[in-house]
Amino acid sequence: MARGVYIHIPFCHQICNYCDFNKFYFKNQPVDEYIETLGKEMALAIQKYPDHFKQIETIFLGGGTPTALSPEQLEKLLGLIRTYIPMDSVTEFTSEANPDELSEEKLQALFAGGVNRLSMGVQSFDQTLLKKIGRTHSNEHVYETIALAKKVGFHNISIDLMYGLPGQTMAQWENSLAKAFALKIPHISAYSLIVEPKTIFYNQYTKGKLHLPTEDLEADMYDVLMKQMEAHGLQQYEISNFAQSDFSSSHNKIYWENDEYAGFGAGAHGYVAGIRYSNHGPLKKYIDAVNKGDLPIVYEHIVTENEKREEQMFLGLRKTEGVLHHIYEEKFNETMLTRYRHVIEKLVSEGLLEHDTNGIHLTRKGRFVGNEVFQQFLLED
């Protein structure tokens, strides 16, 4: 049964240099038709899986940039969501946002439409770095937008930050953190830059024109991040996420707990009825498929039992609390040690995992090499 819903809005007024998500320049795109198609896709999915949408807990508008839409388009989209998605059990409704796109009118449309959490792409408070990564907002946009959001009624506000950016110094990173803490918001996500294929940065990297911080400096930035977050009362609940009590992201926890969620929109991914799937990315293919009365799925994979175990481990270990024994046993009708005793003992001896009566979790040392730890839990068929 799906616990969450992800809805992809693939339109942007500006394409960031690091972004590899499915996205299109807003101008001259069939935005209104796309919104109508989203409603049709939701109706088709609920028709196919009627029992899987009865207890939706979270909804997440991602992109692209949902706030690239006009207030009227946002109202239309949110109305369709309320029409097709049962809202009775929804406790968290998030929208991603760009600081320079959120007018008071858009904020009011989001709030009136049921959105109760904003996730804002700030990335840096250094204007030079913002220009390098292709962002168009200023610090003033961030301050003004957050003040407006609080005025409208939003209390659950998160921002994204990035480190390991081209040419970024420790002083720039520490300055961004200080400005983030001054906002007095309850949640901050912080990610290291990953140079993905099919991005502007990837093209620069392959030509030797992208100059990144050293691995040691990036590790030092992560170390400073964890120390500063703790000092300012934001607890680390996942490798890259920090929050005050009761403000952790419920939607993202669905991913890390390896539970099911529906994905709607061009290029969206989902996990329903034991099947991971992805939708057509090109707008025309997505819209045409739905208009023919078909779900716009281009790829499906039935997740095997071993794959479920693997995902339970390496997704769950992203969380500070780690993987709990009783949850693993409920899902797989076996103990974690039955399957993974030797791996766990090895990683504990290396100081990368801690194991107690509740379960297993990364040590502070293990957080720096999380991907290496996760790979140890892959099973051979």
Side-chain angles (χ1 to χ4, degrees):
M1 183 175 292
R3 289 177 56 198
V5 167
Y6 173 82
I7 299 169
H8 192 69
I9 309 300
F11 307 112
C12 296
H13 292 296
Q14 169 69 23
I15 303 297
C16 299
N17 296 345
Y18 54 84
C19 179
D20 71 330
F21 295 118
N22 193 47
K23 74 278 184 186
F24 307 93
Y25 279 112
F26 188 93
K27 191 175 181 181
N28 299 323
Q29 298 293 349
V31 180
D32 293 315
E33 184 181 6
Y34 181 81
I35 293 170
E36 293 286 351
T37 306
L38 278 170
K40 295 175 184 177
E41 185 193 1
M42 286 184 254
L44 287 169
I46 291 170
Q47 182 181 353
K48 182 175 181 179
Y49 299 110
D51 295 331
H52 286 265
F53 290 88
K54 292 182 177 178
Q55 293 293 322
I56 298 299
E57 301 169 22
T58 68
I59 302 172
F60 194 102
L61 299 181
T65 317
T67 52
L69 303 182
S70 69
E72 294 75 21
Q73 288 167 336
L74 285 170
E75 289 173 3
K76 178 66 174 177
L77 171 65
L78 294 167
L80 287 170
I81 293 170
R82 292 196 305 274
T83 296
Y84 294 109
I85 304 301
M87 302 296 289
D88 292 346
S89 54
V90 173
T91 58
E92 180 186 280
F93 192 161
T94 301
S95 177
E96 291 183 341
N98 275 346
D100 52 345
E101 292 178 349
L102 266 180
S103 63
E104 185 169 358
E105 194 176 1
K106 288 185 183 182
L107 283 163
Q108 288 172 340
L110 289 167
F111 194 73
V115 174
N116 58 17
R117 181 176 185 268
L118 294 176
S119 178
M120 198 175 301
V122 173
Q123 317 311 358
S124 176
F125 285 91
D126 186 284
Q127 204 64 47
T128 303
L129 288 175
L130 287 173
K131 186 175 180 181
K132 280 186 181 180
I133 64 178
R135 302 292 286 174
T136 57
H137 70 267
S138 66
N139 291 353
E140 287 67 32
H141 284 127
V142 177
Y143 304 144
E144 291 167 5
T145 300
I146 288 181
L148 267 179
K150 290 178 178 179
K151 175 186 172 185
V152 167
F154 287 99
H155 302 292
N156 194 349
I157 301 173
S158 175
I159 65 170
D160 288 351
L161 296 176
M162 296 181 71
Y163 60 97
L165 297 174
Q168 188 178 28
T169 66
M170 180 63 81
Q172 287 172 315
W173 177 230
E174 291 178 329
N175 182 59
S176 280
L177 287 173
K179 285 182 164 59
F181 295 134
L183 296 173
K184 304 296 183 184
I185 55 175
H187 190 286
I188 297 175
S189 301
Y191 304 99
S192 64
L193 173 68
I194 299 175
V195 179
E196 300 281 7
K198 300 180 181 179
T199 63
I200 294 171
F201 273 173
Y202 185 79
N203 293 335
Q204 293 175 355
Y205 182 77
T206 57
K207 296 174 183 176
K209 295 181 178 180
L210 191 69
H211 305 294
L212 301 174
T214 64
E215 289 185 5
D216 287 344
L217 177 54
E218 186 175 314
D220 289 342
M221 288 177 173
Y222 185 53
D223 186 53
V224 166
L225 169 70
M226 290 191 288
K227 289 176 179 176
Q228 287 290 315
M229 289 290 174
E230 185 174 4
H232 287 83
L234 292 164
Q235 299 304 310
Q236 184 171 20
Y237 69 98
E238 190 267 347
I239 285 178
S240 302
N241 286 271
F242 306 80
Q244 294 175 6
S245 179
D246 299 325
F247 283 94
S248 58
S249 169
S250 298
H251 185 82
N252 286 339
K253 281 184 177 178
I254 292 172
Y255 302 149
W256 303 323
E257 290 169 2
N258 200 28
D259 285 336
E260 296 192 349
Y261 61 95
F264 298 117
H269 295 250
Y271 180 28
V272 175
I275 299 171
R276 291 199 182 274
Y277 66 89
S278 56
N279 283 349
H280 285 291
L283 291 180
K284 187 176 188 307
K285 287 188 176 181
Y286 167 77
I287 292 171
D288 286 350
V290 175
N291 284 338
K292 290 176 184 176
D294 299 324
L295 285 173
I297 294 171
V298 67
Y299 171 80
E300 287 184 323
H301 173 69
I302 299 173
V303 183
T304 68
E305 287 303 307
N306 269 0
E307 287 170 334
K308 290 177 183 178
R309 290 182 177 91
E310 293 170 349
E311 292 170 354
Q312 189 74 26
M313 301 306 291
F314 61 71
L315 291 171
L317 282 171
R318 292 190 62 88
K319 299 181 298 175
T320 301
E321 72 173 5
V323 182
L324 303 180
H325 285 304
H326 76 276
I327 298 295
Y328 184 94
E329 289 170 20
E330 287 171 9
K331 284 194 173 186
F332 303 110
N333 198 31
E334 65 179 22
T335 69
M336 205 187 307
L337 293 177
T338 300
R339 186 76 50 171
Y340 287 113
R341 178 183 296 276
H342 296 304
V343 173
I344 292 170
E345 290 176 349
K346 173 178 176 289
L347 292 169
V348 168
S349 71
E350 294 171 355
L352 302 177
L353 277 188
E354 287 186 1
H355 179 209
D356 55 31
T357 55
N358 291 322
I360 61 171
H361 59 269
L362 291 175
T363 62
R364 196 176 191 282
K365 176 183 175 183
R367 293 174 197 166
F368 287 88
V369 291
N371 287 335
E372 296 174 25
V373 174
F374 304 154
Q375 289 173 10
Q376 302 298 307
F377 289 91
L378 296 176
L379 296 166
E380 293 185 12
D381 292 327

